[in-house]
Amino acid sequence: MKLILSLFFFTIATQISAGGKLIGTSGVTQVEGSAGGGLVPWATLAGYGTRDEQGASAFFSAVTVDDFRMSAYGVAFSYHDRIEASIAHQKFQSDDKSIRLSQNVLGLKIRLFGDLVYTEWPQVALGMQYKNATNLSLIKSIGGEGEHGTDFYLAATKAWLDGPFHHNFVLNTTLRYSKANQLGLQGFGGDKRNRHSWLLESSLGLFINRNWVFGVEYRQKPDNLSALKEDDWKNLFITHLPNKAFSVTAALVDLGQLGGRNDQSGAYLSLQLIY
Amino acid sequence: MYRKVWLSLLLVVLSACQTISKQDDSLYLDLGGKVGISKIIDIFIYEIGETEEVVHHFEDTDLDRFREKQIEHLCLLSGGPCVYTGDEMLPVHQGMNISESEFNAITNAMIRALDTAGISIAIRNRLLAIIAAMRADVIYQ
């Protein structure tokens, strides 16, 4: 992982100009490492590369809720605005340190058709996230089945340059096919349900101007474990993009019941470097 | 029978009103009319000159003519009382092979020009939506 990160910064340092897409049009990086919102993968690809260029991004995100904290970091590359490859690492722990979980996520996304801004129809992409969780014994003890699994998703994202109130809007809808418990950190499938589920995820963002976006996200979750209930996730976010190289996102998150504790809500902070 | 005729007449009148409101000149006026648009185009041309990656496309351009046609075009696009005497978007860009990046660089030059001219975000977005619709005729021709 460290090697990949150093390679990434080396790549950035040796390139002179960034990609040619308009600022804000690559979104940020979601918690599993794919280009998107904070929780939801979008049809956008990492970085600002157009069909003639390459793009890349690196992120670090941290979430702290009542009894738990989570962090994630990773890098993503895109080639000719067509395909995105990403790798991310997630760490999850309870504040009393009795629970420690982690996993790696490898992501692949293909833009099928459309341009976020310039086509009347949305940009549409098909993606997958292969997840490999550690700590199989803990996963077994809570009724989870496997320690690795693959999510598939279809995302449609559209930005309106002159939307309601003459502001720029972005709307994303993602349909995910997954059996991951709490992103996969608690394994894949469980005693209650051991099959993939179709899950709906959505993001809505309003550009206040070119450098500030605020919005909401919703992510439906499966509920595979009888011992640990899993709730849908929601957030209210604000993103600042001072330039095309950097973005920072802050959010209020509501993760519902998590690790057997009720009403886990708190704050999210994410930093992103973009090329 | 009369009722039907009356209804169809009403429909015709209503659709005519709609056509008129579509051709409204509010965007033209919001951009400051002819004077405001001339100022925006002057800054736009300066901004293009500052944009390294696209300036080579303008090496052989007659700047006075370019300025005049740009003002006419922006006036017409915003609903102003102008006749555009320049070339159509598709033929004029043929053979130039303008890339997506270059199109966006020009768009950014226009955004900076509108900012410098003090145009509000709402008005800017109305204009950008119109410019964005021309992209297909401009890039990779």
Side-chain angles (χ1 to χ4, degrees):
Chain A
M1 201 67 206
K2 285 218 171 84
L3 176 72
I4 293 166
L5 277 175
S6 347
L7 271 174
F8 175 81
F9 289 112
F10 179 75
T11 311
I12 284 201
T14 53
Q15 302 286 348
I16 308 144
S17 62
K21 291 209 163 198
L22 297 173
I23 190 168
T25 55
S26 75
V28 291
T29 308
Q30 54 97 233
V31 72
E32 288 143 317
S34 304
L39 297 175
V40 182
W42 292 1
T44 54
L45 305 186
Y48 286 117
T50 65
R51 68 187 80 175
D52 310 309
E53 300 163 343
Q54 277 112 61
S57 66
F59 82 105
F60 174 79
S61 299
V63 187
T64 167
V65 292
D66 297 74
D67 299 310
F68 302 95
R69 66 186 73 171
M70 184 180 161
S71 64
Y73 58 88
V75 292
F77 299 87
S78 71
Y79 182 77
H80 284 198
D81 197 24
R82 178 56 66 191
I83 189 158
E84 173 191 285
S86 60
I87 180 166
H89 180 75
Q90 296 175 333
K91 247 184 277 195
F92 176 91
Q93 66 176 52
S94 58
D95 287 348
D96 59 16
K97 304 219 162 79
S98 62
I99 303 168
R100 285 171 192 265
L101 299 166
S102 69
Q103 72 171 352
N104 294 317
V105 185
L106 292 173
L108 200 63
K109 185 186 331 187
I110 296 166
R111 185 180 65 82
L112 298 179
F113 58 82
D115 182 282
L116 177 74
V117 176
Y118 290 112
T119 53
E120 276 180 44
W121 55 92
Q123 178 164 330
V124 175
L126 194 63
M128 55 172 282
Q129 293 171 337
Y130 170 78
K131 301 166 178 184
N132 199 343
T134 55
N135 215 339
L136 184 63
S137 56
L138 189 66
I139 289 169
K140 290 281 184 201
S141 74
I142 56 175
E145 294 292 331
E147 64 178 335
H148 56 86
T150 307
D151 290 2
F152 299 92
Y153 62 88
L154 185 71
T157 318
K158 171 83 186 120
W160 286 269
L161 278 182
D162 187 24
F165 319 110
H166 299 299
H167 274 272
N168 299 341
F169 274 79
V170 60
L171 177 65
N172 172 81
T173 305
T174 299
L175 195 60
R176 185 191 293 261
Y177 188 60
S178 168
K179 64 191 281 195
N181 312 325
Q182 300 293 14
L183 309 180
L185 288 159
Q186 294 178 350
F188 301 82
D191 54 339
K192 194 167 159 190
R193 182 183 167 87
N194 194 23
R195 279 173 292 130
H196 280 73
S197 309
W198 288 102
L199 306 158
L200 190 69
E201 306 175 2
S202 195
S203 319
L204 175 68
L206 163 70
F207 283 79
I208 303 161
N209 55 38
R210 301 190 91 199
N211 309 106
W212 289 91
V213 193
F214 78 91
V216 289
E217 282 194 302
Y218 178 83
R219 176 166 173 169
Q220 197 183 12
K221 307 276 294 304
D223 192 17
N224 301 331
L225 304 172
S226 53
L228 297 171
K229 189 180 177 298
E230 183 169 349
D231 281 327
D232 298 348
W233 285 2
K234 295 156 219 144
N235 76 38
L236 191 66
F237 70 87
I238 183 150
T239 298
H240 181 43
L241 309 118
N243 53 53
K244 278 170 74 176
F246 175 73
S247 81
V248 53
T249 300
L252 297 170
V253 294
D254 177 359
L255 308 184
Q257 201 180 108
L258 190 66
R261 312 274 180 90
N262 283 326
D263 301 325
Q264 297 294 310
S265 59
Y268 164 96
L269 186 74
S270 180
L271 307 174
Q272 188 192 27
L273 287 172
I274 317 158
Y275 164 70
Chain B
M1 183 63 197
Y2 281 113
R3 200 184 150 89
K4 258 190 183 164
V5 172
W6 190 84
L7 272 175
S8 358
L9 265 176
L10 184 69
L11 271 177
V12 170
V13 172
L14 279 177
S15 52
C17 289
Q18 207 179 13
T19 318
I20 290 165
S21 71
K22 264 185 191 164
Q23 289 169 339
D24 81 300
D25 59 358
S26 63
L27 180 56
Y28 169 75
L29 296 175
D30 286 341
L31 292 171
K34 200 74 181 258
V35 174
I37 286 174
S38 303
K39 185 177 147 198
I40 291 165
I41 294 299
D42 285 338
I43 309 169
F44 177 51
I45 291 172
Y46 168 80
E47 289 291 345
I48 290 174
E50 297 287 298
T51 309
E52 219 169 278
E53 59 184 309
V54 296
V55 77
H56 69 277
H57 282 302
F58 296 88
E59 272 167 3
D60 301 322
T61 302
D62 174 351
L63 277 185
D64 287 335
R65 182 179 184 275
F66 180 74
R67 176 178 182 274
E68 185 190 312
K69 301 305 170 199
Q70 286 293 316
I71 292 169
E72 284 176 12
H73 202 189
L74 187 50
C75 172
L76 181 74
L77 288 173
S78 62
C82 300
V83 180
Y84 175 55
T85 58
D87 301 300
E88 292 289 321
M89 285 296 102
L90 184 61
V92 78
H93 293 105
Q94 241 149 19
M96 293 177 77
N97 195 27
I98 292 170
S99 72
E100 215 181 315
S101 287
E102 290 169 340
F103 182 89
N104 286 340
I106 297 274
T107 303
N108 282 327
M110 177 52 87
I111 290 170
R112 287 196 301 274
L114 294 165
D115 270 350
T116 310
I119 301 299
S120 78
I121 290 165
I123 298 164
R124 189 177 79 193
N125 287 341
R126 284 177 67 191
L127 180 64
L128 289 179
I130 296 170
I131 293 174
M134 299 190 295
R135 187 179 88 135
D137 284 346
V138 174
I139 62 170
Y140 302 102
Q141 297 299 332

